[in-house]
Amino acid sequence: MTTWYEGPLAAFDTETTGVDVETDRIVSAAVVVQDAPGTRPRVTRWLVNPGVPVPEAATAVHGLTEEHLQRNGRWPAPVMYEIAEQLAEHAALGRPLVVMNAPFDLTLLDRELRRHRASSLDRWFESVPLRVLDPRVLDKHLDRYRKGRRTLTDLCAHYAVTLQDAHDAAADALAAMEVVRALGRRFAARLERLSPADLHTLQANWHAAQARGLQAWFARSGSDEVVSTEWPLRPELPAAA
């Protein structure tokens, strides 16, 4: 029987105007689908004119300028619909969705749907639930005592995954998928009997514990930064933009 990490997977990633899920916007996104390891991935890309200024700091990360997005990007409303529709289709087909640091990308998508479609991400998964695999949460739980950062670049280096064109949404999505497959193989004894549905539930608990630990560390360091325990989607704030 094929294990979930050797079977069909989809992956989702975004590039944005910044790191605030309540106010920043998606400027590019990609969904990558692979039926089995080593097979040719199928890639869907979106380029978005966010309708707001694109800070130079964001352009320095992903290379997408405001001028380029205004000239070549599509309006957000149809793009957000298409992304949500495609994610729902993969869920209906039983494909787990790999999302690195899921509360960031999925919450941004949810806020964009609310902003431009008067909708929400949850509405797309009322009949078929989304099963998310987050390499950041999985790695932090399965190898919790390893020192060092755990960005996608770091995880790729640790699990010997090639990451080309970092901060390109499609490249990052494919790399995150490969990291999840590598995690599955390395920790097969702990993961192979768990279904994606089991792991989705467990990751919510693992992320909450990880967030509480980080919150305690911030408190000891004198920082007032607040760490959300919600995964894979943060609840809507009353004052969300």
Side-chain angles (χ1 to χ4, degrees):
M1 182 177 177
T2 303
T3 57
W4 59 263
Y5 50 84
E6 301 291 2
L9 294 175
F12 173 61
D13 189 72
T14 66
E15 297 301 326
T16 69
T17 59
V19 296
D20 188 330
V21 296
E22 302 299 338
T23 59
D24 280 304
R25 311 297 174 91
I26 293 173
V27 296
S28 71
V31 172
V32 177
V33 182
Q34 189 182 45
D35 294 325
T39 61
R40 186 179 182 87
R42 302 186 297 279
V43 181
T44 305
R45 301 171 183 266
W46 293 270
L47 192 66
V48 186
N49 177 357
V52 299
V54 180
E56 291 183 3
T59 297
V61 172
H62 49 60
L64 298 171
T65 66
E66 186 173 337
E67 180 183 7
H68 177 76
L69 293 168
Q70 288 176 348
R71 191 169 59 244
N72 301 287
R74 296 170 58 200
W75 289 115
V79 170
M80 302 313 151
Y81 182 93
E82 290 170 15
I83 294 172
E85 182 179 49
Q86 189 163 139
L87 297 186
E89 288 175 357
H90 292 308
L93 291 169
R95 293 189 185 112
L97 181 68
V98 176
V99 190
M100 174 71 184
N101 191 18
F104 179 77
D105 293 82
L106 294 183
T107 302
L108 261 170
L109 176 58
D110 175 78
R111 302 315 191 248
E112 290 279 52
L113 286 166
R114 294 174 186 274
R115 185 178 292 123
H116 298 291
R117 302 290 311 190
S119 181
S120 69
L121 190 58
D122 284 337
R123 293 183 188 175
W124 288 89
F125 301 99
E126 291 174 342
S127 58
V128 181
L130 187 64
R131 305 302 188 193
V132 176
L133 300 169
D134 188 333
R136 186 170 182 267
V137 175
L138 290 168
D139 177 69
K140 287 181 74 173
H141 177 78
L142 294 165
D143 197 1
R144 68 182 67 185
Y145 299 114
R146 188 178 81 249
K147 295 185 182 299
R149 289 161 51 85
R150 302 190 193 228
T151 66
L152 179 59
T153 300
D154 298 318
L155 295 186
C156 286
H158 182 71
Y159 290 101
V161 169
T162 300
L163 173 57
Q164 297 179 336
D165 300 322
H167 299 296
D168 169 82
D172 287 356
L174 179 59
M177 181 189 294
E178 294 296 340
V179 168
V180 164
R181 293 196 190 281
L183 270 162
R185 296 182 194 113
R186 183 169 299 188
F187 298 100
R190 298 166 65 181
L191 294 177
E192 61 185 358
R193 292 194 178 117
L194 296 171
S195 69
D198 295 331
L199 281 169
H200 185 98
T201 300
L202 288 168
Q203 285 171 102
N205 295 330
W206 296 342
H207 176 270
Q210 293 162 8
R212 288 192 294 268
L214 182 58
Q215 188 73 75
W217 184 85
F218 280 140
R220 291 193 299 271
S221 303
S223 171
D224 58 359
E225 184 169 348
V226 176
V227 183
S228 173
T229 60
E230 300 293 330
W231 182 98
L233 181 65
R234 297 178 190 174
E236 184 189 18
L237 298 178

